[in-house]
Every structure is written in structure tokens, then in C-alpha cells.
């Protein structure tokens, strides 16, 4: 029988009278001895609960507790909200047992407690709860309630309540659930009321998730790829026109996204390293979970994708058309080589001025490729530069200007031959992303150098187009699985790896202004570009065994390290979700259980 009044039962639950608790202590959190291990909430709260054996089954980490604070008054009740981080039973008889005492006496006391745990003896047993303020107050006036951001000091000794299912549901999903189109748009369910047999769906704003970037972090086997496939599936089916491009260095997403790739209503494309002609070849080109390796349904699913003409291969080009950035780089080199010849320097300056004016008049940026008109203009003025600036015909500057048209023509001829031969070139991928109706592109390329160069080219092209077009729609999500390969710490990267990391960081810094989002998925965030990591507004954290990884998450996203410690107990599919923008409440850790992608795939393959 619940001990709550009718009005309070609108907001709280006491689990049918089982939860009788008081706030026993509020103390400033002690500074960490090693800041690398993470940050702490300003206050740590201890709640003393009357012992109830069944209550131990019903309580769960992540539940929100409420206790009246000093701002209450004037007919308004104001409660400080706290998140349950740990709970444990305590037997006062055991507290009196010391190691130096007579052993048979210790053993007898310990043995007796086993029987006590089965009773409801509240005189010798209690439940302790550690809780962390979430920087929100619940303001109750009559039968209405609202959430106000900020911390208020709670009244020590006051009664503690647990927010009920409906309050939790409205709090975490407020302003979000209505934005999700169609049924089944929830990303998962809340863990906190699972033991009570109540499933609470949790929603995210998928457009905000895409535009403001997100990350998925967990150790091997934690379900990163499974969750990512689930999120892509939700984005495809519950937003209007969002596009997704996956840089799949592990070659596993043609399987994990099989149902989407075979869906006629979702235009899509898979780009492999080499051409495949049969479902068997397609299957050998990708990675599958062990239990599906000999499943005949997989070949049927891959065969359907092939029959729809959605599988192609990458055409590797040894030479790409020069960009304006390449032109400027060449001019800089020529200027350095001819620094002792003022006439040559002046000629190079005029070419640079012309190039700047030409780009401005046509809206080009440095990442754009030069066009035929630009090349033609320089070629027609070879004699002008030779006579005006006294350029020697056998000089490197004269040779570069006069040979530019020839090499440009050769590159164009070779590109046309490659297009006829089939496959897609890197430039074509960028064009298809923007100029076609494709919504899902999966680049399953196992060669690190190739897929990193694809990242560089695609990011540069995307930012250049959006800046030139002044548009943000449709939103485009760039996904990097095994993100440590694409965005490593810059001080440890060299060559194409360093350039790739800089381009990923640039997209995350600038992309949200142009509707370009990013997703980083990794098991070792300690190896990531921290400037890129700090751009993420939403994150999903699974089990991270290494303390330094958890510490980096704690410091970067301001999550209490005690909350993160609970992720060590997660099973695959369980996640800590927190967001500055995509959930109904800002930066409050939420413990969720995600949907299983393999169940969705089984459902699809059973229809084949």
C-alpha cells in the first residue's frame, strides 16, 4: 500500500510503500587524486532507506530521486533532483565485526546475517544509496510540475522520493517524442524500471543528433556496430531526407544494414574495393558475425542488393584533376625557386591575382578542381607572360604554364575511359552524395590509405559545396567507424593520416552551420583527436575497461566518474546516453538498453 498522497503520487512512487527514505548527508565531493581519472559532481548525497528485501530488486542505477530544498515556500514545493549511482544493503551487526576479534564469534555473527536478510527487520538492517545532483529542480505547484535548471541545496533529513514512470518518461522525452515521425522511433528503453516490469521508451531528436554530432564509445564486444546500425536505421526511417555516408574500414555494414540497402524506398549504394559479380563474392568481401557465416539467408539478402544494382567498386586514379589549392601550392614552389629573379616573382604574382579573381567571379574555393576555361586562359597568355616579364622559354615557370593545358586534357581523357570501364571515382561519390537521390552510401574499403583519402576528398567537397550554396538541407551524416583510424591525435599522425584527422576535425567544427554532421565510433578514445572529440553534443558510452578512457569521457563531457564506473557492469546493448541537445533534458546521464540490430536483420531475412 502506497504511503503517498494522491497529489504526490502524480509525480513520485514509493513502490507500494516499500521506499521509505531520508536524506542523511550532503557533502562537497572530494577532489580527485588524479585528474586524469575524471571529474566529480560538486556534491555527493547519501540516502538512508528502511530495509525491504523486495526493494533491493526494484531499485536500479539511474533512477531519479527528489528531496525538498530550501527554495520551497509560498505554496510551491521545490525538489532537488539526484541520480542514483550506487545502492547497497547494510547489516549493523556486521558493522560491529572487526578482524582482530575472536574468529568463532565473527563467524557466528556473519552466519546469522544470512537469516536476517530474509526478514523485514528494520532495526538491524538498512539500505544505503549514493546519489549525485543532476543540476535540475522539480518545481511542483498544485498538480503541475516543471523542471528548472540549476542546483539548490537540499534539506538534510527530509523525505526522499523516487520519480515515477510517467514523470521520467515526460522528463527524458519532453519536446522530442513528437518530432520523431512514425511508430517505433525510440532508440531504446530505460533500464531503471525494468525490474518492475515497466518499459519506458527513450527518444532522441534525430535531426539534432545528426547536425550536432555524436559519438559511440565502448570496448570490443560492447555492441558499438550494433548500436550504430540501429541509429542509422532509425535516422533513415524516421527523418524525411537525411543522408548518411559510412566510412566502413572494417567492411561490416553491408551486412548490418542489409535491410536498408535492400529497401526500394531508400536509394542506396555500396562501394567495395573491387568488383563483385555474385552473392558469394559479395559475401567474401564483407565481415559478418560468426553465427551468420554459414547462414544461407545472408546470400539471399546480398543477392537482392546486387540484383537492384546497388553494389559498385572504387576506381582508383593515379592522377586527379588539380584543384585551385594545388595551383597555389605550385605557384608558391615556383616563387621560392625564383626568389632571386624579381621579374619571375612579379609574373607569379599576376597569375595568383588572376586565379583569385577567377575563383571569386565563379564562387570557387580552393578545394574545387580547376576548369577548362581557367586552363584555356592561362594557355592563351603564355606569350604575354614571356614578353611582358621577360620569361625564358626554357624556364620552369614558362614550362609549367605552357604544359598545363596538355596535362589537363590527358587527365580528362583518362577519367572518361575509367568511367566507361565501370565503378565510381572519388569525385563521383561526392557528386552522388549531393546531386542524386541517394540517401545511404556505404564505403566498405579495407585499405587504410584509400579510405582516408576518400574522407579527405569527400569532406573538402562537402564543405566547399555547402559554403558556396548557403544551404543546410538535406542534412548529411558522416560516420567513421574505428574512428581512431580517421581522427587520431594530430601530434602522433603523419602524412595522409594527419591530413585526414585535420579534415574530420574541420567538419566537426564547421559542419553544423551547413547541415553536415559527424559520428565517431571507437573503442579507444584516448587515441582520438581531442579537438574533434570536444565537438560532439551527444554520446553513447558502453563498457570501457581502461580508467584513462573513462577519465577522458568524464572530463570532456562533464560526467561524474562514479556514474561512468557503472558502465563496467554493462552487458552488450546497454548504454549510458547523455546529450546537450538531442534528449528532453540537457546533459543528464540516462541508462538505456538499445534495440538489437540482429533481430531486425533476422526479421528481414525471414521474409526472403
Amino acid at each position: 500500500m502506497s504511503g503517498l498522497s494522491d497529489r504526490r503520487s502524480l509525480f513520485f512512487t514509493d513502490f507500494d510503500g516499500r521506499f521509505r527514505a531520508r536524506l542523511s548527508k550532503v557533502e562537497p565531493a572530494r577532489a580527485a587524486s588524479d585528474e586524469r581519472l575524471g571529474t566529480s559532481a560538486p556534491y555527493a548525497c547519501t540516502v538512508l532507506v528502511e530495509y525491504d528485501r523486495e526493494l533491493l530488486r526494484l531499485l536500479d542505477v539511474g533512477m531519479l530521486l527528489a528531496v525538498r530544498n530550501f527554495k520551497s515556500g509560498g505554496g510551491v514545493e521545490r525538489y532537488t533532483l539526484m541520480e542514483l549511482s550506487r545502492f547497497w544493503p547494510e547489516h549493523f551487526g556486521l558493522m560491529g565485526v572487526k578482524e582482530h576479534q575472536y574468529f568463532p564469534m565473527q563467524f557466528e555473527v556473519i552466519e546469522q546475517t544470512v537469516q536476517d536478510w530474509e526478514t523485514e527487520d528494520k532495526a538491524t538492517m538498512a539500505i544505503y544509496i549514493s546519489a549525485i545532483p543532476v543540476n535540475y529542480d522539480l518545481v511542483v505547484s498544485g498538480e503541475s510540475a516543471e523542471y528548472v535548471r540549476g542546483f539548490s541545496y537540499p534539506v538534510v533529513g527530509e523525505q526522499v522520493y523516487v520519480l515515477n514512470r510517467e514523470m521520467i518518461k515526460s522528463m527524458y522525452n519532453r519536446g522530442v517524442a513528437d518530432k520523431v515521425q512514425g511508430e517505433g522511433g525510440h532508440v531504446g528503453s530505460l533500464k531503471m524500471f525494468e525490474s518492475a516490469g515497466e518499459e519506458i521508451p527513450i527518444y532522441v531528436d534525430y535531426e539534432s543528433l545528426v547536425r550536432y554530432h555524436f559519438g559511440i564509445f565502448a570496448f570490443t564486444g560492447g555492441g558499438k556496430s550494433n548500436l550504430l546500425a540501429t541509429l542509422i536505421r532509425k535516422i533513415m526511417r524516421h527523418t524525411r531526407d537525411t543522408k548518411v555516408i559510412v566510412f566502413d574500414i572494417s567492411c561490416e555494414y553491408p551486412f548490418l544494414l542489409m535491410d536498408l540497402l535492400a529497401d526500394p524506398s531508400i536509394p542506396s549504394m555500396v562501394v567495395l574495393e573491387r568488383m563483385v559479380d555474385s552473392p558469394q563474392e559479395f559475401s567474401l568481401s564483407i565481415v559478418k558475425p560468426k553465427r551468420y557465416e554459414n547462414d544461407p539467408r545472408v546470400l539471399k539478402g546480398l543477392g537482392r542488393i546486387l540484383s537492384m544494382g546497388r553494389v559498385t567498386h572504387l576506381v582508383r586514379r593515379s592522377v586527379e584533376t588539380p584543384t585551385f589549392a594545388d595551383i597555389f601550392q605550385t605557384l608558391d614552389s615556383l616563387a621560392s625557386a625564383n626568389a632571386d629573379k624579381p621579374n619571375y616573382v612579379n609574373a607569379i604574382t599576376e597569375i595568383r591575382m588572376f586565379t583569385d579573381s577567377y575563383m571569386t567571379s565563379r564562387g570557387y574555393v580552393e578545394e574545387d578542381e580547376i576548369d577548362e576555361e581557367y586552363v584555356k586562359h592561362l594557355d592563351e597568355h603564355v606569350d604575354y607572360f614571356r614578353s611582358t616579364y621577360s620569361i625564358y622559354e626554357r624556364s620552369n615557370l614558362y614550362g609549367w604554364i605552357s604544359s598545363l593545358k596538355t596535362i589537363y586534357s590527358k587527365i580528362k581523357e583518362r577519367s572518361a575511359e575509367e568511367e566507361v570501364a565501370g565503378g565510381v571515382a572519388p569525385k563521383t561519390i561526392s557528386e552522388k552524395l549531393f546531386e542524386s537521390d541517394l540517401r545511404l552510401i556505404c564505403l566498405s574499403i579495407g585499405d587504410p590509405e584509400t579510405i582516408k583519402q576518400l574522407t579527405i576528398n569527400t569532406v573538402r567537397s562537402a564543405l566547399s559545396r555547402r559554403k558556396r550554396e548557403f544551404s543546410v538541407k538535406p542534412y548529411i551524416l558522416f560516420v567513421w567507424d574505428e574512428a581512431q583510424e580517421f581522427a587520431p591525435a594530430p601530434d602522433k599522425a603523419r602524412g595522409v593520416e594527419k591530413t585526414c584527422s585535420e579534415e574530420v576535425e574541420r567538419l566537426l567544427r564547421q559542419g553544423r552551420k551547413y547541415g553536415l554532421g559527424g559520428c565517431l565510433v571507437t573503442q579507444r578514445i584516448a587515441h582520438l583527436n581531442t579537438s574533434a572529440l570536444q565537438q560532439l553534443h551527444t554520446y553513447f558510452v558502453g563498457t570501457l575497461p581502461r580508467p584513462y578512457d573513462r577519465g577522458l569521457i568524464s572530463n570532456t563531457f562533464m560526467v561524474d566518474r562514479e556514474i561512468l564506473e557503472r558502465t563496467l557492469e554493462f552487458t552488450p546493448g546497454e548504454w549510458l546516453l547523455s546529450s546537450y541537445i538531442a534528449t528532453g533534458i540537457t546533459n543528464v546521464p540516462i541508462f538505456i538498453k538499445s534495440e538489437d540490430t540482429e533481430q531486425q536483420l533476422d526479421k528481414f531475412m525471414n521474409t526472403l
Side-chain angles (χ1 to χ4, degrees), residues 70-175:
F70 287 100
K71 290 186 178 180
S72 295
V76 175
E77 292 182 354
R78 190 157 177 153
Y79 298 86
T80 298
L81 295 181
M82 304 175 292
E83 186 162 15
L84 192 159
S85 62
R86 286 190 304 162
F87 65 95
W88 67 97
E90 195 77 76
H91 192 290
F92 297 112
L94 287 177
M95 294 173 66
V97 174
K98 306 299 181 184
E99 291 184 2
H100 63 271
Q101 291 177 333
Y102 185 49
F103 176 76
M105 185 179 71
Q106 293 184 52
F107 193 85
E108 184 176 350
V109 172
I110 294 172
E111 188 177 33
Q112 178 61 39
T113 62
V114 176
Q115 301 175 20
D116 293 344
W117 293 126
E118 302 299 324
T119 70
E120 299 295 330
D121 186 357
K122 297 174 175 51
T124 58
M125 295 174 292
I127 299 172
Y128 282 87
I129 289 176
S130 288
I132 298 167
V134 296
N135 294 320
Y136 273 91
D137 278 3
L138 174 68
V139 181
V140 175
S141 179
E143 296 185 355
S144 63
E146 64 175 332
Y147 305 99
V148 178
R149 190 160 177 78
F151 171 76
S152 301
Y153 198 91
V155 178
V156 178
E158 263 289 4
Q159 187 170 351
V160 179
Y161 303 95
V162 179
L163 263 64
N164 65 26
R165 178 184 186 278
E166 292 303 317
M167 285 296 290
I168 292 291
K169 182 178 179 181
S170 65
M171 181 179 187
Y172 287 156
N173 294 321
R174 60 174 181 164

Side-chain angles (χ1 to χ4, degrees), residues 39 214-215 217 525 532-541 551-560 564 578 580 587 589:
T39 187
F214 65 99
F217 314 116
I525 66 167
L533 188 66
Q534 290 169 345
Q535 306 303 316
L536 307 181
H537 282 56
T538 304
Y539 51 92
F540 298 81
V541 183
L552 188 57
I553 288 277
S554 177
N555 291 327
T556 302
F557 301 113
M558 298 303 294
V559 182
D560 186 89
L564 283 171
S578 189
Y580 292 97
N587 203 33

Side-chain angles (χ1 to χ4, degrees), residues 10 25 213 247 336 372 437 470 498 509 559:
L10 295 174
K25 187 187 301 182
H213 320 312
F247 294 87
S336 298
E372 190 171 357
D437 62 350
F470 295 100
K498 182 178 178 66
R509 284 184 180 277
V559 182

Side-chain angles (χ1 to χ4, degrees), residues 174-189:
R174 60 174 181 164
V176 174
D178 295 339
K179 294 182 180 180
V180 178
Q181 305 166 20
E183 296 294 327
H186 57 286
V187 72
S189 58

Side-chain angles (χ1 to χ4, degrees), residues 23 25-30 41-46 82 130-133 562:
L23 180 65
K25 187 187 301 182
V26 178
E27 56 185 356
R30 287 173 289 183
Y43 294 93
C45 303
T46 303
M82 304 175 292
S130 288
I132 298 167
E562 187 173 307

Side-chain angles (χ1 to χ4, degrees), residues 365-606:
V365 295
E366 290 189 7
E367 288 79 10
D368 290 326
E369 293 180 352
I370 61 175
D371 58 22
E372 190 171 357
E373 185 178 348
Y374 173 81
V375 174
K376 182 179 179 182
H377 179 90
L378 283 185
D379 184 69
E380 291 174 346
H381 287 74
V382 171
D383 291 336
Y384 163 77
F385 285 110
R386 180 180 57 79
S387 59
T388 304
Y389 293 101
S390 301
I391 303 299
Y392 184 50
E393 290 186 2
R394 294 187 179 181
S395 67
N396 52 8
L397 177 58
Y398 185 89
W400 173 75
I401 299 173
S402 59
S403 64
L404 184 60
K405 181 178 180 181
T406 301
I407 191 63
Y408 179 81
S409 300
K410 295 293 183 182
I411 292 173
K412 287 298 181 183
E413 289 175 9
R414 177 59 181 155
S415 299
E417 292 172 1
E418 290 168 342
E419 291 294 338
V420 172
V424 292
K427 180 184 176 183
T428 307
I429 293 172
S430 297
E431 291 173 349
K432 286 182 176 293
L433 186 61
F434 284 90
E435 298 173 8
S436 72
D437 62 350
L438 286 176
R439 291 192 62 202
L440 175 61
I441 298 177
C442 183
L443 304 178
S444 294
I445 310 292
D447 180 61
E449 295 294 315
T450 301
I451 199 166
K452 288 172 187 175
Q453 191 60 55
L454 279 173
T455 292
I456 295 168
N457 295 342
T458 310
V459 168
R460 286 176 176 174
S461 174
L463 284 170
S464 172
R465 281 176 175 267
R466 282 291 164 89
K467 289 176 181 179
R468 187 164 61 242
E469 296 168 356
F470 295 100
S471 64
V472 297
K473 291 287 187 79
Y475 293 151
I476 300 177
L477 175 65
F478 291 73
V479 177
W480 290 283
D481 196 4
E482 304 296 342
Q484 72 278 359
E485 296 284 341
F486 299 93
D491 60 331
K492 298 180 181 178
R494 298 291 184 273
V496 68
E497 190 176 62
K498 182 178 178 66
T499 305
C500 184
S501 180
E502 291 170 347
E503 291 302 322
V504 171
E505 179 186 339
R506 190 160 74 99
L507 179 106
L508 295 175
R509 284 184 180 277
Q510 302 178 13
R512 58 180 172 268
K513 294 186 292 185
Y514 307 107
L516 304 175
C519 169
L520 302 179
V521 184
T522 184
Q523 60 181 314
R524 279 307 308 271
I525 66 167
H527 293 167
L528 281 186
N529 180 331
T530 53
S531 295
L533 188 66
Q534 290 169 345
Q535 306 303 316
L536 307 181
H537 282 56
T538 304
Y539 51 92
F540 298 81
V541 183
T543 301
L544 292 171
R546 295 180 177 88
Y548 183 77
D549 288 340
R550 297 195 301 276
L552 188 57
I553 288 277
S554 177
N555 291 327
T556 302
F557 301 113
M558 298 303 294
V559 182
D560 186 89
R561 62 177 179 271
E562 187 173 307
I563 291 288
L564 283 171
E565 292 294 320
R566 310 309 299 173
T567 63
L568 293 174
E569 303 170 8
F570 282 176
T571 59
E574 296 180 348
W575 300 91
L576 184 150
L577 160 65
S578 189
S579 177
Y580 292 97
I581 197 165
T583 54
I585 191 163
T586 301
N587 203 33
V588 172
I590 309 170
F591 293 88
I592 71 168
K593 187 174 183 63
S594 67
E595 291 187 2
D596 188 351
T597 280
E598 292 186 4
Q599 290 182 359
Q600 298 298 318
L601 291 173
D602 282 332
K603 183 178 179 181
F604 163 72
M605 290 189 290
N606 287 337

Side-chain angles (χ1 to χ4, degrees), residues 233-273:
R233 188 174 286 108
K234 300 291 184 180
I235 290 167
M236 287 287 100
R237 290 182 171 155
H238 298 284
T239 62
R240 293 187 184 277
D241 56 0
T242 304
K243 298 187 174 187
V244 177
I245 179 168
V246 183
F247 294 87
D248 177 23
I249 195 171
S250 56
C251 301
E252 57 185 343
Y253 288 92
F255 171 79
L256 293 173
L257 300 175
M258 185 191 301
D259 55 328
L260 292 182
L261 296 169
D263 189 337
S265 67
I266 301 176
S268 57
M269 178 176 71
V270 179
V271 181
L272 303 175
E273 282 190 80

